[in-house]
């Protein structure tokens, strides 16, 4: 649509909406961290892994196989290219299901989630605050130092999706007034920066989306706003929320194929 001969204001609006919509990825990871790390229920490791495998990994593999069959990459009846299909499942989000990178990321986070939960729940408030700012600092360094021509030999582990996973827990369950103000203020500024970058130079979107501090702060602000509205929304949208909760994962699994293959 951007390439069509349409009014400039429509193109601008579309680019801004695209930028804001990209909050979905860090927001989904944050919500996963909030639910898993903030869960008070003690669960044996075996049961934890089994439940996530059944609820997350199995549906993804089934859909992935269906997509590969539909695209002609493999065949189940008669069996053809089964080995290649299995290797593609191990390789991750390739070919017909590039959007599955998010699911592979989540499964990887689930592997360490029981241990991270023990760690973060035993940190005091000052340590939680320090961890929050450390994650934010590492994201800034990892995202923007290369733009300034500064190269470092350090591995910024908390700048990866693990850090965003932990932020989901901190922002929803352990945020202090300082953390809340920081996220809301910088999150609001980030929306403006994000919109300007998307309109001025779309090729720079990777510096303001996904793991970039701007998008992470925006996602955190969204979480805080909905947390504050929870009491007002409770009971009024229960049916809608339950429906979305029930089918949200299925929507994630099929949305790319529906948008870019079927359509």
């Amino acid at each position: 649509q951007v390439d069509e001969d349409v009014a400039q204001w429509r193109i601008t609006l579309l680019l801004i909406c695209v930028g804001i919509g990209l909050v979905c990825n860090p927001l989904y990871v944050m919500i996963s961290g909030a639910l898993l790390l903030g869960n008070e229920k003690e669960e044996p490791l075996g049961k934890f892994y089994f439940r996530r495998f059944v609820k997350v990994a199995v549906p993804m593999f089934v859909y992935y196989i269906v997509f590969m069959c539909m695209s002609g990459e493999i065949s189940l009846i008669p069996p053809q290219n089964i080995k290649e299909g299995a290797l593609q499942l191990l390789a991750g989000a390739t070919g017909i299901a590039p959007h599955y990178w998010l699911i592979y990321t989540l499964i990887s986070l689930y592997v360490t989630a029981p241990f991270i939960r023990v760690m973060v729940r035993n940190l005091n408030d000052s340590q939680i605050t320090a961890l929050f700012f450390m994650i934010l600092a590492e994201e800034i360094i990892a995202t923007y130092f290369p733009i300034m021509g500064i190269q470092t030999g350090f591995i910024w582990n908390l700048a990866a999706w693990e850090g965003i996973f932990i932020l989901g827990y901190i922002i929803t369950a352990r945020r202090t007034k300082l953390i809340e103000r920081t996220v809301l203020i910088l999150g609001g500024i980030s929306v403006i920066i994000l919109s300007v970058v998307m309109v001025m130079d779309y090729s720079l979107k990777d510096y303001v989306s996904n793991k970039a501090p701007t998008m992470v702060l925006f996602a955190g602000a969204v979480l805080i706003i909905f947390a504050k509205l929870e009491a007002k929304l409770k009971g009024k949208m229960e049916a809608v929320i339950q429906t979305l909760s029930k089918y949200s994962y299925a929507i994630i699994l099929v949305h790319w194929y529906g948008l870019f293959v079927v359509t």
Side-chain angles (χ1 to χ4, degrees), residues 190-254:
S190 294
V191 175
I192 299 173
I193 295 173
L194 170 66
S195 300
V196 170
V197 170
M198 294 294 290
V199 172
M200 298 299 294
D201 191 345
Y202 183 78
S203 66
L204 298 177
K205 70 180 181 66
D206 289 340
Y207 295 108
V208 291
S209 62
N210 281 337
K211 295 179 289 183
T214 46
M215 189 60 79
V216 172
L217 288 164
F218 175 32
V222 171
L223 274 184
I224 291 176
I225 290 171
F226 273 96
K228 288 181 172 295
L229 293 174
E230 182 178 4
K232 295 182 179 180
L233 295 175
K234 193 172 184 180
K236 297 180 181 178
M237 302 177 62
E238 189 170 348
V240 175
I241 293 173
Q242 286 181 350
T243 301
L244 291 175
S245 298
K246 185 176 181 180
Y247 296 109
S248 62
Y249 185 52
I251 292 171
I252 288 176
L253 291 176
V254 303

Side-chain angles (χ1 to χ4, degrees), residues 132-193:
F132 167 81
F133 283 105
M134 184 177 294
I135 293 172
L136 191 58
E138 289 199 10
E139 287 172 351
I140 292 172
I141 293 171
T143 304
Y144 301 124
F145 271 32
I147 300 177
M148 298 183 290
I150 302 174
Q151 300 297 328
T152 66
F154 303 104
I155 299 175
W156 306 106
N157 295 313
L158 294 177
W161 290 106
E162 288 84 354
I164 299 173
F165 189 69
I166 295 173
L167 281 180
Y169 165 76
I170 294 175
I171 289 173
T172 55
R174 299 288 302 277
R175 69 177 184 272
T176 61
K177 288 294 184 181
L178 175 60
I179 292 175
E180 182 174 303
R181 287 196 297 267
T182 300
V183 173
L184 289 176
I185 294 172
L186 295 183
I189 296 173
S190 294
V191 175
I192 299 173
I193 295 173

Side-chain angles (χ1 to χ4, degrees), residues 116-136:
I116 296 176
R117 180 169 61 183
V118 174
M119 179 192 76
V120 295
R121 287 175 60 182
N122 283 281
L123 296 177
N124 60 40
D125 289 344
S126 62
Q127 291 170 329
I128 282 289
T129 301
L131 179 59
F132 167 81
F133 283 105
M134 184 177 294
I135 293 172
L136 191 58

Side-chain angles (χ1 to χ4, degrees), residues 7-19:
Q8 183 61 42
W9 73 266
R10 294 187 177 184
I11 296 175
T12 300
L13 179 61
L14 177 63
L15 288 169
I16 292 173
C17 290
V18 168

